């Protein structure tokens, strides 16, 4: 099992940047596909970005070109660099993990979340 802890959220003005971190313990992340989700009050949870154990990435259309997901396996950490932030990016952001080698497995490991607020 793996435990995930997010950090780096906060209040930022529109057009600003934040870098979220997801620190893992209990297991090496080299065996996991990783994802960032977000959820705003009254809205559905949204998949923001994914990165596989093989470093393949995908992004939601709403963040493509502005957000970058990356991983540092030596540090057992996943990052989400968020640039050109918009008010609609305001949400609680969650890090999630699933075993890469098991077909059909859902993202069943979750962090506690970190709040991102984009406002003037």
């Amino acid at each position: 099992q793996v435990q995930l802890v997010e950090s780096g959220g906060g209040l930022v003005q529109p057009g600003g940047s934040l870098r979220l971190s997801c620190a893992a313990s209990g297991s090496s992340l080299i065996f996991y596909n990783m994802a960032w989700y977000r959820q705003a009050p009254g809205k559905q949870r949204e998949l923001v970005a994914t990165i596989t154990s093989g470093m393949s990435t995908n992004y939601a259309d709403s963040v493509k070109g502005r957000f970058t997901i990356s991983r540092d396996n030596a540090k057992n950490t996943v990052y989400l660099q968020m640039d050109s932030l918009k008010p609609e990016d305001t949400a609680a952001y969650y890090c999630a993990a699933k075993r890469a080698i098991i077909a059909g497995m859902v993202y069943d490991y979750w962090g506690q979340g970190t709040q991102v607020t984009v406002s003037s």
Side-chain angles (χ1 to χ4, degrees):
Q1 295 189 4
V2 61
Q3 295 81 48
L4 306 172
V5 179
E6 303 96 334
S7 63
L11 175 63
V12 64
Q13 293 185 343
S17 297
L18 284 173
R19 183 179 177 88
L20 305 183
S21 297
C22 174
S25 61
S27 183
S28 173
L29 288 184
I30 63 173
F31 303 113
Y32 291 84
N33 292 346
M34 305 297 298
W36 285 96
Y37 287 82
R38 67 185 181 186
Q39 188 166 29
K43 297 182 65 177
Q44 290 185 323
R45 186 178 62 190
E46 177 187 18
L47 178 60
V48 176
T50 62
I51 184 166
T52 69
S53 61
M55 300 296 186
S56 178
T57 60
N58 283 287
Y59 299 91
D61 289 341
S62 58
V63 307
K64 195 172 299 180
R66 300 188 297 118
F67 290 11
T68 303
I69 188 171
S70 62
R71 63 195 300 163
D72 186 336
N73 290 333
K75 296 180 179 179
N76 225 29
T77 301
V78 178
Y79 304 96
L80 185 68
Q81 177 67 43
M82 304 183 296
D83 299 319
S84 301
L85 283 162
K86 305 174 181 180
E88 51 263 45
D89 295 318
T90 296
Y93 283 72
Y94 298 89
C95 180
K98 70 181 184 74
R99 292 293 301 271
I101 62 173
I102 303 177
M105 178 169 284
V106 300
Y107 287 98
D108 54 349
Y109 299 99
W110 293 83
Q112 293 297 305
T114 185
Q115 179 67 37
V116 172
T117 302
V118 184
S119 176
S120 298

